């Protein structure tokens, strides 16, 4: 009788494994380390930071093959034997890995290699579809966040490789951010020479990470770190002297949100806590300084703007905004992220002008003389604008300012074809101007969304010319749209974006 019950239980367990494997897949956790140990799916498996071909060899056995080596897997109740090694394990069914069994107080330390090595991210989705439409990669040495478009393999995986000397930070955005959970806007770290694997069950809602920094990545994903920077402060519709204090209040709210995350997940490692705090701090730093810098450069009402124009000196509140980030930025090791990369770019400019005590007309000592101007009607921008739009005088012109680094911009590009179809028959020209976009990403997105189709112009100007053009136009944010009437005059009011084709049609008809 006992033998019969044992056989019956083994059959039930095997049926349970088979059912899981045929559906959502079987994901097992190493109970000793708390890490994701292995995932077995329809025809593939994830093990040891790799994707393997998987073949069922017996009721409880599998053979893994990656083209170079083979690994045998045997599953038992609460145990697994993989490549001859025995593990105590448990099945994963929640959205993320549960809390790790032991604390980890190891602080964040920057990893640097003498020669560039490749950090590799492999992303596998259960539905075998293109889940993420955008990948951004940054480390502590690149000047800009590098954009990559996903290229889906036959097994539903995307492999992204990035040469780096230090820790690489991959940022992933789903096709509809926020609709899928904390992994729709995910951050994954990877050391040079290492591989990270991210499995996303986009049907039942699960996501697990594997690799040398798996604990950090799993904890960040479970905490939803990429969603902690939901600022409620005004951007461009408030004077600078009220916008900066509003950013401070929103940052204080973010810190309280972080405290609630820590209270809910007391076992978070020290490294994860450092990354969360740094991410939020430098996202806040970038937004604050960018708002300040834009307001001082472009036309905006408010006493601080008038003070700056009248005296040519940085107002005290703006000086404090820059300096309060200086000490800890220089003194501490900061985990890379797109927030830090953005901050470094704007901080370098603002700090230079601040330290040099420059007035608007002074010359910055650089590789070549650069005149620091704060005039939104700069001559170069006016001449360039006329050069671009004058060939189309007599037609209406729709201008779209976008950037490959900008998630909302890329989401809008998906609607360009539908917008043109909606306005078919209207005498209108579409001009798409890319901001801070490398040639590879520009070419790919122009081709993918037909930005250079008949009746459209797609331009990727040199950075200095694009900046001059944006200063002349007064681009306040991205994406930004501008509509010119047949005489070349800008139509007043907010211009609808490509996703608002019906509203744009009504606006075009009202000014024809």
């Amino acid at each position: 009788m006992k033998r019969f019950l044992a056989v019956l239980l083994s059959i039930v367990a095997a049926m349970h494994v088979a059912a899981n494997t045929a559906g959502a897949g079987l994901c097992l956790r190493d109970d000793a380390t708390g890490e994701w140990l292995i995932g077995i799916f329809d025809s593939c498996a994830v093990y040891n930071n790799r994707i393997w071909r998987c073949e069922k060899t017996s009721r409880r056995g599998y053979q893994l093959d990656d083209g170079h080596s083979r690994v045998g897997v045997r599953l038992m109740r609460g145990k697994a034997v993989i490549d001859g090694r025995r593990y105590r394990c448990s099945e994963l069914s929640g959205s993320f890995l549960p809390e790790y069994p032991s604390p980890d107080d190891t602080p964040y330390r920057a990893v640097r290699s003498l020669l560039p090595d490749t950090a590799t991210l492999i992303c596998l989705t259960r539905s075998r579809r293109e889940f993420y439409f955008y990948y951004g990669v940054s480390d502590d040495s690149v000047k800009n966040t590098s954009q990559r478009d996903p290229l889906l393999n036959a097994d539903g995986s995307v492999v992204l490789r990035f040469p780096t000397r230090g820790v690489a930070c991959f940022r992933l955005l789903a096709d509809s951010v926020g609709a899928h959970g904390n992994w729709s806007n995910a951050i994954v770290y990877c050391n040079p020479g290492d591989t990270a694997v991210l499995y996303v069950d986009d049907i039942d809602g699960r996501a697990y990470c594997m690799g040398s920094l798996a604990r950090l990545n799993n904890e960040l994903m479970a905490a939803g770190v990429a969603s902690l920077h939901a600022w409620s402060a005004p951007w461009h519709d408030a004077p600078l002297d009220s916008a900066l204090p509003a950013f401070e209040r929103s940052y204080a709210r973010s810190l309280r949100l972080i405290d609630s995350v820590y209270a809910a997940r007391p076992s978070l490692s020290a490294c994860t806590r450092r990354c969360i705090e740094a991410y939020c701090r430098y996202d806040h730093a970038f937004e604050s300084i960018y708002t300040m810098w834009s307001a001082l450069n472009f036309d905006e009402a408010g006493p601080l703007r008038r003070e700056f124009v009248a005296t040519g000196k940085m107002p005290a509140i703006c000086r404090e905004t820059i300096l309060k980030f200086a000490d800890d930025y220089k003194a501490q090791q900061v985990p890379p992220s797109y927030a830090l990369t953005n901050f470094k770019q704007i901080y370098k400019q603002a700090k230079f002008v601040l330290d040099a005590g420059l007035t608007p007309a002074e010359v910055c000592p650089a590789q070549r003389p650069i005149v620091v101007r704060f005039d939104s009607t700069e001559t170069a921008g006016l001449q360039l604008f006329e050069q671009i739009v004058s060939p189309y005088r007599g037609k209406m012109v729709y201008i779209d300012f976008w950037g490959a680094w900008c998630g909302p911009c890329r989401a809008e590009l998906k609607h360009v074809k539908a917008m043109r179809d909606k306005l078919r028959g209207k005498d209108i020209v579409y001009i798409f101007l890319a901001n801070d976009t490398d040639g590879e990403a520009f070419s790919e997105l122009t081709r993918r969304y037909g930005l250079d189709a008949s009746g459209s112009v797609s331009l990727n100007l040199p950075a200095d010319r694009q900046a001059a053009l944006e200063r002349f136009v007064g681009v306040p944010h991205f994406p930004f749209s501008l509509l010119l009437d047949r005489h070349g005059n800008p139509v007043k009011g907010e211009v609808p974006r490509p996703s608002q084709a019906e509203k744009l049609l009504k606006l075009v008809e009202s000014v024809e």
Side-chain angles (χ1 to χ4, degrees):
M1 185 67 180
K2 289 182 179 180
R3 180 175 297 178
F4 172 77
L5 289 175
V7 172
L8 180 62
L9 286 173
S10 66
I11 293 174
V12 171
M15 290 174 61
H16 180 62
V17 169
N20 280 338
T21 305
L26 178 69
C27 294
L28 298 180
R29 182 197 200 205
D30 185 342
D31 291 340
T33 64
E35 299 288 6
W36 179 30
L37 176 64
I38 190 171
I40 298 178
F41 310 104
D42 292 334
S43 58
C44 69
V46 175
Y47 172 67
N48 198 24
N49 310 331
R50 280 180 281 175
I51 296 180
W52 306 68
R53 291 189 296 274
C54 181
E55 180 182 353
K56 190 173 178 64
T57 56
S58 66
R59 197 166 54 197
R60 293 178 294 177
Y62 299 86
Q63 184 79 32
L64 310 187
D65 187 336
D66 68 349
H68 302 286
S69 55
R70 293 184 176 183
V71 171
V73 178
R74 186 164 177 263
L75 304 180
M76 297 169 284
R77 190 178 185 86
K79 298 177 183 177
V81 179
I82 305 175
D83 202 19
R85 296 184 59 185
R86 298 176 66 90
Y87 299 89
R88 281 195 161 276
C89 54
S90 52
E91 184 178 348
L92 290 168
S93 57
S95 298
F96 306 100
L97 286 180
E99 292 188 355
Y100 281 74
S102 59
D104 185 358
D105 296 325
T106 306
Y108 173 83
R109 291 189 180 92
V111 174
R112 301 292 295 171
S113 59
L114 295 177
L115 298 174
D117 208 338
T118 300
T120 303
L121 171 65
I122 301 175
C123 180
L124 177 69
T125 59
R126 176 184 170 191
S127 66
R128 304 297 193 265
R129 70 181 180 93
E130 182 182 293
F131 183 75
Y132 293 107
F133 76 90
Y134 168 87
Y135 290 77
V137 192
S138 59
D139 63 15
D140 58 6
S141 64
V142 296
K143 295 181 179 178
N144 301 303
T145 299
S146 300
Q147 289 84 35
R148 300 288 189 275
D149 286 308
L151 297 175
L152 202 65
N153 296 321
D155 60 3
S157 68
V158 172
V159 180
L160 187 63
R161 295 182 174 91
F162 183 67
T164 179
R165 293 177 183 269
V167 179
C169 177
F170 295 87
R171 182 193 179 203
L172 305 92
L173 271 72
D175 50 7
S176 55
V177 176
H180 308 283
N182 290 355
W183 57 86
S184 62
N185 189 3
I187 292 176
V188 179
Y189 286 96
C190 185
N191 284 321
D194 286 348
T195 298
V197 179
L198 172 64
Y199 168 66
V200 174
D201 181 345
D202 51 334
I203 298 175
D204 286 344
R206 301 187 298 165
Y208 310 124
C209 227
M210 187 180 290
S212 62
L213 296 177
R215 176 164 186 166
L216 169 63
N217 294 325
N218 282 307
E219 289 182 335
L220 288 175
M221 197 158 45
V225 61
S227 303
L228 292 176
H229 66 295
W231 308 108
S232 56
W235 275 56
H236 298 277
D237 57 350
L240 183 59
D241 49 334
S242 60
L244 290 178
F247 272 115
E248 287 301 308
R249 292 192 294 272
S250 69
Y251 180 53
R253 285 192 290 273
S254 291
L255 293 180
R256 291 195 292 272
L257 180 58
I258 291 175
D259 288 340
S260 68
V261 170
Y262 291 170
R265 295 180 173 273
S267 67
L268 286 179
S269 64
C271 186
T272 298
R273 291 172 182 250
R274 175 69 180 121
C275 287
I276 291 175
E277 292 161 2
Y279 180 91
C280 277
R281 177 161 179 76
Y282 290 103
D283 200 30
H284 162 66
F286 168 72
E287 301 295 357
S288 298
I289 295 181
Y290 180 83
T291 299
M292 178 207 76
W293 194 242
S294 299
L296 294 182
N297 275 275
F298 306 140
D299 291 330
E300 182 171 322
L304 294 181
R305 163 70 181 172
R306 292 194 295 271
E307 173 191 341
F308 182 72
V309 172
T311 65
K313 299 295 182 182
M314 192 77 73
I317 189 173
C318 298
R319 180 181 296 272
E320 293 169 4
T321 299
I322 299 173
L323 292 178
K324 73 178 181 179
F325 301 112
D327 292 339
D328 65 344
Y329 167 60
K330 292 181 177 180
Q332 300 183 33
Q333 294 191 91
V334 182
S337 68
Y338 79 94
L340 179 65
T341 301
N342 289 341
F343 165 75
K344 287 193 295 187
Q345 290 179 295
I346 195 69
Y347 172 83
K348 183 178 181 180
Q349 302 175 44
K351 187 72 163 52
F352 178 82
V353 174
L354 181 67
D355 289 346
L358 297 179
T359 60
E362 289 186 81
V363 177
C364 297
Q367 293 180 350
R368 65 183 189 275
I370 302 174
V371 177
V372 181
R373 292 194 179 96
F374 301 91
D375 181 4
S376 63
T377 58
E378 189 178 35
T379 304
L382 172 60
Q383 293 175 344
L384 185 57
F385 184 77
E386 282 300 312
Q387 182 181 345
I388 292 173
V389 303
S390 59
Y392 310 107
R393 201 75 78 216
K395 299 176 179 286
M396 300 190 72
V397 179
Y398 180 86
I399 305 176
D400 187 296
F401 291 86
W402 67 280
W405 50 268
C406 167
C409 298
R410 295 165 67 103
E412 287 293 329
L413 294 182
K414 295 182 177 182
H415 301 279
V416 165
K417 184 180 182 302
M419 174 185 69
R420 283 197 297 250
D421 290 344
K422 190 72 176 180
L423 274 70
R424 181 173 288 127
K426 302 297 180 183
D427 196 14
I428 184 170
V429 173
Y430 304 92
I431 299 177
F432 300 92
L433 294 164
N435 169 280
D436 194 18
T437 298
D438 64 45
E440 183 180 346
F442 172 77
S443 299
E444 164 62 20
L445 293 172
T446 295
R447 179 196 59 76
R448 180 184 297 188
Y449 299 115
L451 304 186
D452 57 353
S454 178
S456 301
V457 179
S458 183
L459 299 175
N460 190 18
L461 301 174
D464 56 343
R465 302 184 74 191
Q466 179 71 17
L469 184 63
E470 291 171 3
R471 282 197 296 272
F472 168 71
V473 173
V475 175
H477 52 73
F478 290 88
F480 177 72
S481 301
L482 186 68
L483 182 65
L484 306 181
D485 64 20
R486 297 182 185 277
H487 305 288
N489 300 314
V491 175
K492 293 183 179 180
E494 182 178 353
V495 176
R497 297 175 181 177
S499 62
Q500 303 168 313
E502 187 66 42
K503 292 183 179 180
L504 180 59
L505 176 61
K506 292 180 180 178
L507 179 61
V508 167
E509 291 175 340
S510 70
V511 297
E512 272 186 322

